[in-house]
Amino acid sequence: MDESAAIAHVLRRTTFGPFPGQVEALARQGAGGARGATGVIESVLAAAPLVPATPVFDEEAESASDGPVGSWLRAMADPAAGIHEKLVWFWHGHFTSSHDKVDTWDLMWRQHLLLREHALGNFRELAQAVTIDGAMLQWLDGAGSIALAPNENHGRELMELFTLGRGNYTQRDVRAAAVALSGWSVDDHGSVAFDPKSGNQRAVELLGRSVTTVRDAVDVLCDRLECARFIAAKLHHFLVGRVASEQRVTELAAVFTQARLEIRPLVAAILRDPSFVEATYARPRYPVEWVTAALAVCGIGNAATAFETMNTLGQSPFYPPNVAGWPPGNQWIAPGTAVARAALAVNAPALPEIAGAADPVAAVFARASIYDPSPGTRTAARDLAFELRRDPGRAATALLALVITSPEFTLA
């Protein structure tokens, strides 16, 4: 793999790019004081977190450029974004809440800011905070749960999906966790409060340890080796694109445990391992990732177009389908999605640049940051350019549609 292709690979996995011209700029400057993929890995790890503008909470204009989705998409599309922005997205798919059930955008945005605060911080602190977050309490029916008759949904998902994984607890543990998590409420103004009268006041046994409060329960879960393994395996799959071997999970869990569940050392261990750079095109570019990159390649900066396309492809911020989040898998790049993807090329602002290039094929590949096209993709592009050579505008549209629907662009 040449240097440009390696840089593009790192950016596809650790950011929402690469964006036009970004790979060339990083190659020229020797990102992070080193060349190629190694330098870019260190650069994205060191990049400062972005601070999105506070959105307008208009329930009738969720896809507006100044709404919650638009504000987050601008951060995703910022070339200055590093791994932090990608981790905000990862945690949104892990500690899920959806505006389909959560009352207000204000609550959803507060949770978003919470994920931003802890995205590369300490997992224990993140789990403690999100467990009593207003949006999460509404989403998992934790709001209004009382110790004498607790709602078990919150406690079950905290263990199964957020900390331990399936099979690492019993129904008795679910009941104990539910009791410890009881007593919290969210009022009409979005304020979260604990009521000692309805909350738990007695010790219960959770996974062999005595707990009374939310903090006690989350500490017990985070202290389990199963938690370190579960989070390490899930982050590895997300960043590398492949299921980690048992040995690799053990190694990463040890890193995570020794770091006292600090997320940054775990992420760094995943990215710095040779397996990360070697695993090219190993997973789909999920719709939010693909749309953000494709809009930049096409020169489109319209939040409504982004939101509409993401919805068509089945994924949009703040609307996970269920508490398990968005599933991994190749269903995201099913052939039936190609038409919706290709539609972005029609009348795209970038077409004149491609049509006016001395070599439109080279220009469109460069704009899409594809430096290692397969022989099949390269031949298809050359054939299209030749067939439509007398109509540069039409050729540019066809080439752009071909490239953004190619395996090299729809995979990460």
Side-chain angles (χ1 to χ4, degrees), residues 138-178:
Q138 287 191 349
W139 173 238
L140 290 182
D141 306 312
S145 177
I146 62 175
L148 293 178
N151 187 304
E152 296 181 358
N153 193 37
H154 196 184
R156 179 179 291 103
E157 307 306 0
L158 176 62
M159 290 189 284
E160 179 177 329
L161 297 174
F162 299 166
T163 57
L164 301 181
R166 190 170 298 171
N168 291 311
Y169 57 88
T170 67
Q171 177 57 33
R172 182 178 176 181
D173 295 316
V174 171
R175 176 74 179 184

Side-chain angles (χ1 to χ4, degrees), residues 46 74 87 97 126 132 154 174 179 212 231 247 257-258 291 359 370:
R74 277 199 304 279
L87 265 290
S97 293
L126 170 57
I132 55 172
H154 196 184
V174 171
V179 170
T212 304
I231 299 303
Q247 179 181 345
T257 301
Q258 289 164 13
V291 169
D359 184 346
I370 297 175

Side-chain angles (χ1 to χ4, degrees), residues 245-264:
S245 67
E246 286 297 310
Q247 179 181 345
R248 184 62 179 146
V249 172
T250 299
E251 294 169 353
L252 292 173
V255 170
F256 200 26
T257 301
Q258 289 164 13
R260 297 181 180 274
L261 302 190
E262 289 291 326
I263 299 164
R264 184 182 292 275

Side-chain angles (χ1 to χ4, degrees), residues 362-412:
V364 76
F365 278 137
R367 191 166 178 86
S369 303
I370 297 175
Y371 305 95
D372 53 352
S374 68
T377 299
R378 188 187 297 277
T379 298
R382 290 292 177 195
D383 288 348
L384 262 180
F386 180 78
E387 290 295 327
L388 301 174
R389 63 190 182 280
R390 290 186 173 83
D391 189 342
R394 188 177 168 207
T397 302
L399 286 171
L400 184 56
L402 170 72
V403 166
I404 63 176
T405 59
S406 69
E408 293 86 348
F409 197 82
T410 55
L411 296 173

Side-chain angles (χ1 to χ4, degrees), residues 28 90 125 147 161 217 299-300 356 375 384:
R28 285 194 299 270
F90 170 81
E125 294 176 7
L161 297 174
I300 300 170
L384 262 180

Side-chain angles (χ1 to χ4, degrees), residues 26 49 59 76 110 138 146 180 218 221 232 245 261-262 293 301 342 346 360 390:
L26 289 172
E59 298 295 330
M76 291 177 181
R110 279 191 237 167
Q138 287 191 349
I146 62 175
V218 173
L221 302 180
S245 67
L261 302 190
E262 289 291 326
V346 179
R390 290 186 173 83

